[in-house]
Amino acid sequence: MLKKLASELKVSHVPKSKFIENFIIDMINDGKLKKGSKLPSINELANSCKIARETVVKSYNLLKSKGLVESRHGKGFIVIKSKYRKVANVFVLLDVMSNAYKEQLVRGINENIGGKVQITYNAHRYNAEAFINCIENAIGRFEYYVIFAMRDKTTFKSVLKIPQNKLMLLDVPANIKDCDCAQIYQNSDTNFKRALSEALPHLKKYKKFYMVFDPAHHHPVERVDAFKDFCNENNFHCEILQSFDKSKLERETFWMIMSDIHLVDLLLFAKELNLKVKDDFGVITYDDTPMKKVVADGVATISIDFYNMGKLVAEQLQNWNPELKLTVDSIFTRRSTV
């Protein structure tokens, strides 16, 4: 115990007294320190960890105040409880926070979390250096870590520094070798293709199929191959565009739009041409938001339920399962654009 404590304390950014308190609480909750166990003496712990006696005294007093240990004359500090439910301190690293999808996810977490979890949110904004700095600054300060991983391999080492039994990765698989942690993922090709197949009866009237996929918007690249496969299997002529091309918009075209920016461009230009959505051309967009329920009398979407993903995260944080492996479905929602 003392050797492990000294080693972890050396690299932790958490105040020493708080780290020792949390370390011993974890030992109690894991059954490694049972009711009736004797803690190391103040001098023994201070010398082993090369810290001041006052730091150890402060830690032990914190444990006493929680009713976990008591000091007995001639015997030292004794564990008097076999379990302690502490408020979990959780670090959540999103890709971005300033879009409607992540707002739904955060709302799903916050509205279902209960009172036993304290969450610190941050975002890496697809910047590898920011991602690494966020992780490095967070390690050792939190009980659990919920991360939207990047596929940039330079970030993988920082993810592997997080204790795997306290880590959960979200959204899109990053394929980090040797990473074995909890996961809640969306299937990046199979579910998307299945959702397109659900829309098939409404798409057969269109003759040309376009997907607008700009790599700069960080959508999963697997969506492109899934769209191509869907079109090939149904004998649809398809083309992948990196931005909306006005020259392509004509009657009997179908558009799979990945970014809301391109959706606006498409609908505005259609208005100029006096083309009616659904009758003259069709649109399905990627990722659902409340706003898409009202734009153009309702825009059809293929999306995971971000609020539900947030709810699943909240459930995991309240009853942590390090073996959790969940795949969330992509759902086709038909509205007025197909």
Side-chain angles (χ1 to χ4, degrees):
M1 169 186 166
L2 287 174
K3 186 176 180 180
K4 186 173 188 293
L5 174 57
S7 173
E8 294 184 8
L9 187 62
K10 192 180 296 183
V11 297
S12 172
H13 299 287
V14 180
K16 291 180 172 58
S17 58
K18 189 66 179 174
F19 184 89
I20 294 168
E21 177 199 4
N22 287 334
F23 183 89
I24 292 174
I25 288 174
D26 288 341
M27 293 278 286
I28 292 170
N29 285 339
D30 291 343
K32 295 174 181 176
L33 278 174
K34 300 184 183 298
K35 186 175 180 179
S37 298
K38 182 180 177 181
L39 297 182
S41 70
I42 292 170
N43 287 336
E44 186 181 9
L45 198 153
N47 292 335
S48 296
C49 297
K50 296 182 172 56
I51 57 176
R53 289 182 78 260
E54 290 76 11
T55 302
V56 183
V57 171
K58 185 176 181 180
S59 301
Y60 282 7
N61 283 337
L62 288 169
L63 292 166
K64 284 174 66 177
S65 70
K66 291 178 169 59
L68 285 171
V69 305
E70 66 180 18
S71 55
R72 297 178 183 173
H73 183 69
K75 292 185 177 181
F77 290 87
I78 306 297
V79 176
I80 58 173
K81 280 189 179 178
S82 57
K83 210 74 177 172
Y84 178 72
R85 178 68 176 122
K86 61 182 178 180
V87 174
N89 198 14
V90 178
F91 179 72
V92 176
L93 180 59
L94 303 173
D95 44 12
V96 294
M97 293 184 70
S98 57
N99 69 29
Y101 323 119
K102 296 311 181 303
E103 288 173 4
Q104 290 180 75
L105 177 117
V106 170
R107 186 166 66 87
I109 296 174
N110 292 343
E111 290 182 358
N112 294 282
I113 199 62
K116 289 292 187 179
V117 179
Q118 181 175 322
I119 300 177
T120 298
Y121 289 100
N122 214 322
H124 55 71
R125 300 175 186 86
Y126 303 103
N127 181 290
E129 184 178 354
F131 181 97
I132 293 168
N133 288 337
C134 284
I135 297 292
E136 297 288 342
N137 290 332
I139 289 175
R141 297 174 53 204
F142 297 88
E143 185 173 356
Y144 299 118
Y145 302 81
V146 178
I147 307 294
F148 272 70
M150 294 182 66
R151 292 184 169 184
D152 187 328
K153 292 183 179 180
T154 64
T155 65
F156 289 4
K157 284 186 179 179
S158 59
V159 173
L160 292 171
K161 289 180 181 179
I162 301 172
Q164 299 295 284
N165 64 338
K166 297 180 179 292
L167 170 65
M168 181 166 66
L169 297 182
L170 284 188
D171 199 29
V172 179
N175 299 321
I176 304 173
K177 187 180 178 182
D178 299 324
C179 185
D180 183 19
C181 64
Q183 303 168 2
I184 300 179
Y185 282 155
Q186 52 175 309
N187 188 306
S188 297
D189 44 23
T190 305
N191 284 345
F192 183 73
K193 186 176 170 183
R194 179 190 51 72
L196 280 169
S197 297
E198 291 178 13
L200 181 60
H202 313 292
L203 305 181
K204 290 181 177 180
K205 61 185 176 183
Y206 304 114
K207 304 301 182 185
K208 293 182 181 179
F209 284 62
Y210 297 101
M211 170 182 267
V212 183
F213 184 97
D214 184 351
H217 292 164
H218 304 286
H219 295 301
V221 69
E222 292 90 347
R223 299 292 186 261
V224 175
D225 287 339
F227 184 76
K228 288 179 179 177
D229 288 346
F230 168 77
C231 290
N232 289 336
E233 290 173 8
N234 293 283
N235 297 314
F236 296 142
H237 169 78
C238 76
E239 189 175 343
I240 309 301
L241 309 172
Q242 287 199 3
S243 61
F244 171 62
D245 184 343
K246 291 183 177 181
S247 69
K248 306 285 187 182
L249 180 57
E250 55 189 20
R251 284 178 172 81
E252 298 185 321
T253 58
F254 167 76
W255 296 80
M256 182 68 231
I257 301 291
M258 303 298 288
S259 168
D260 292 353
I261 293 173
H262 297 138
L263 173 64
V264 172
D265 292 341
L266 172 66
L267 294 178
L268 286 176
F269 190 59
K271 191 173 183 180
E272 288 182 27
L273 298 180
N274 200 29
L275 294 178
K276 293 184 178 180
V277 67
K278 183 179 179 181
D279 294 335
D280 296 326
F281 69 98
V283 181
I284 295 178
T285 59
Y286 183 66
D287 286 341
D288 202 3
T289 64
M291 185 62 69
K292 289 181 182 179
K293 296 176 182 178
V294 295
V295 170
D297 293 324
V299 182
T301 62
I302 292 177
S303 178
I304 66 167
D305 185 334
F306 283 98
Y307 181 88
N308 185 59
M309 179 182 270
K311 186 176 179 180
L312 293 171
V313 172
E315 291 172 358
Q316 167 75 341
L317 293 178
Q318 293 174 89
N319 189 20
W320 188 264
N321 174 13
E323 307 296 326
L324 180 72
K325 300 287 188 294
L326 283 180
T327 301
V328 292
D329 287 337
S330 295
I331 302 165
F332 167 60
T333 302
R334 188 190 179 201
R335 298 193 181 109
S336 298
T337 55
V338 290

